[in-house]
Amino acid sequence: MSFGNRYRFGIKAAGIIDLLQRCERLFFMDADMYPTGDISRCFNRISALSSIMWRCEGRPKAPYRSLEGEGLSIGGRILIGDETMWASGVLGVHHHNIPALERAYAASEKVSEIVHLHTPEQFCTGVALSQDGRTISRHWLPIRNYSTRGKKLHARRRIGAFFDLNGKLSVERQVKQAASCRVWRAPLDLLLQRDIWHF
């Protein structure tokens, strides 16, 4: 799934294709995402012509311009590195889009050989899911992420403390206790982490 360990981000794309073969609609979140409310309404927005992704990032970073003239394509469209970039930390997709995802997965290996960033999988997925009359929209769901260094450090400590305290309880009790577990940072937490701020 990672093209022989050459591009480890291909694992997610291949895994989503595998899971989607067993269901009609799939809503996937990266491990650094967490819901803060009911996200079940997402399934009403997923169809053969409508997908959901984390957010639109606009024009890709400059290294993608290296794709121009390379002759790489997805679904017959030649890539020039100026296509819209979508973040794939959240992905809602329909079973009928498996062929598009397979094209994106195959292209991501080739793109990663030219663009030395960690984002070819999400770039190719966005291109493929916006072809042939399909559209992508931002999720607009109660979901947060802790993908920065400070957020991850804070969340890791909170989650570790939660399981130290509740790890021996039944699953039902853990779920109830989890409702009061706070992984977001309060102003005091930010102040205490000021030594790792980056501007």
Side-chain angles (χ1 to χ4, degrees), residues 12 30 33 52-58 84-92 119 121-123 125-126 136-139:
K12 179 169 83 173
D30 278 356
M33 303 285 177
I52 301 169
M53 291 184 79
W54 175 242
R55 66 170 171 257
C56 179
E57 297 183 338
T84 301
M85 172 72 86
W86 282 89
S88 62
V90 162
L91 177 63
T119 53
E121 168 264 328
Q122 69 183 49
F123 172 77
T125 298
I136 303 170
S137 61
R138 185 173 178 160
H139 69 91

Side-chain angles (χ1 to χ4, degrees), residues 65-94:
R65 256 47 99 221
S66 302
L67 293 174
E68 190 167 11
E70 292 293 326
L72 299 181
S73 67
I74 297 176
R77 177 181 176 160
I78 300 294
L79 300 175
I80 60 171
D82 202 32
E83 294 80 3
T84 301
M85 172 72 86
W86 282 89
S88 62
V90 162
L91 177 63
V93 70
H94 194 276

Side-chain angles (χ1 to χ4, degrees), residues 52-186:
I52 301 169
M53 291 184 79
W54 175 242
R55 66 170 171 257
C56 179
E57 297 183 338
R59 193 174 192 218
K61 291 181 179 177
Y64 279 91
R65 256 47 99 221
S66 302
L67 293 174
E68 190 167 11
E70 292 293 326
L72 299 181
S73 67
I74 297 176
R77 177 181 176 160
I78 300 294
L79 300 175
I80 60 171
D82 202 32
E83 294 80 3
T84 301
M85 172 72 86
W86 282 89
S88 62
V90 162
L91 177 63
V93 70
H94 194 276
H95 178 86
H96 286 181
N97 294 143
I98 290 175
L101 292 170
E102 289 173 335
R103 289 191 291 274
Y105 173 60
S108 67
E109 178 186 22
K110 297 170 187 165
V111 171
S112 71
E113 292 169 358
I114 298 166
V115 179
H116 302 293
L117 298 172
H118 68 277
T119 53
E121 168 264 328
Q122 69 183 49
F123 172 77
C124 294
T125 298
V127 171
L129 290 177
S130 43
Q131 294 178 333
D132 303 321
R134 292 184 295 266
T135 60
I136 303 170
S137 61
R138 185 173 178 160
H139 69 91
W140 300 115
L141 295 164
I143 296 172
R144 293 185 181 161
N145 76 325
Y146 48 94
S147 61
T148 67
R149 181 179 168 203
K151 284 182 179 179
K152 283 183 177 176
L153 178 63
H154 178 77
R156 188 180 304 119
R157 288 175 178 161
R158 288 281 179 157
I159 292 168
F162 173 84
F163 283 107
D164 286 344
L165 187 64
N166 300 290
K168 294 184 179 176
L169 298 177
S170 68
V171 172
E172 288 110 9
R173 293 278 299 144
Q174 286 185 39
V175 168
K176 286 181 182 174
Q177 294 296 104
S180 62
C181 181
R182 175 178 63 85
V183 294
W184 53 269
R185 294 177 295 174

